[in-house]
Amino acid sequence: AQSVTQPDIHITVSEGASLELRCNYSYGATPYLFWYVQSPGQGLQLLLKYFSGDTLVQGIKGFEAEFKRSQSSFNLRKPSVHWSDAAEYFCAVGPYGNEKLTFGTGTRLTIIP
Amino acid sequence: DAGVIQSPRHEVTEMGQEVTLRCKPISGHDYLFWYRQTMMRGLELLIYFNNNVPIDDSGMPEDRFSAKMPNASFSNLKIQPSEPRDSAVYFCASSSDSTDNEQFFGPGTRLTVL
């Protein structure tokens, strides 16, 4: 069975500082991996996704993620956060095709001035 | 495209009443997913459809919950009778083969059962 672990429930960073959100997955084959962001009162929006190829994936809003098969990780990074990045971030894993995704429990990001 | 449309955005009802949540997927998408989000349990998949047919309803909590997709452009999720523990935000999402598993989420319906 597939599973996703986001070990950090809540992270606080200063505006302008770098950010890394952790995601570890368990999946039997090559996974499809996603990062979604949810702003307060909103639905989830896709930041980036990985299927194959280059293990460093660029997304929207200046985010990137690196797939590391040996560590079963897909961590999300941003070199310099902005106050508007405050939100909840979800990592998800799924099989090829449009079957169900398994979401992590989310990491809430707080930005301080 | 208008994106995934959900209605109502907010619903307040009393325990025992029937609740109907509605979803219009993105045109051309043939997968539709219903999720529930709570602080305690996070984001849970309730049921999903492919070409209007339910594929996996193992996440539906109990018989009080039912979902239908009568056509490609509409789905509803019903709770009858509703209970306070059903209070949550319910999301609908859609996708297609051309989106490579990317699911597009609606804004959600915040349900409060008193």
Side-chain angles (χ1 to χ4, degrees), chain A residues 49-61:
Chain A
K49 57 189 176 184
Y50 171 79
F51 305 132
S52 63
D54 192 346
T55 56
L56 186 62
V57 181
Q58 302 298 320
I60 62 171
K61 304 185 181 187

Side-chain angles (χ1 to χ4, degrees), chain A residues 34-37 44-46 88-90 103, chain B residues 102-103 105:
Chain A
F34 304 80
W35 275 100
Y36 283 83
V37 61
L44 279 69
Q45 179 187 20
L46 182 73
E88 184 116 22
Y89 292 80
F90 293 90
F103 284 83
Chain B
E102 177 184 350
Q103 294 179 18
F105 282 75

Side-chain angles (χ1 to χ4, degrees), chain A residues 32 34 36 38 41-44 46 49 51 90 94-101 103-104, chain B residues 9 31 33 35 37 43 45 48 56 58 91 95-97 99-103 105-107:
Chain A
Y32 279 42
F34 304 80
Y36 283 83
Q38 183 182 27
Q42 304 296 315
L44 279 69
L46 182 73
K49 57 189 176 184
F51 305 132
F90 293 90
Y96 176 79
N98 280 286
E99 295 175 32
K100 58 186 181 181
L101 297 179
F103 284 83
Chain B
R9 292 295 309 276
Y31 285 81
F33 305 81
Y35 291 90
Q37 186 179 42
L43 193 64
L45 177 66
Y48 78 96
D56 185 345
S58 59
F91 289 103
S95 70
S96 75
D97 288 335
T99 70
D100 293 325
N101 272 48
E102 177 184 350
Q103 294 179 18
F105 282 75

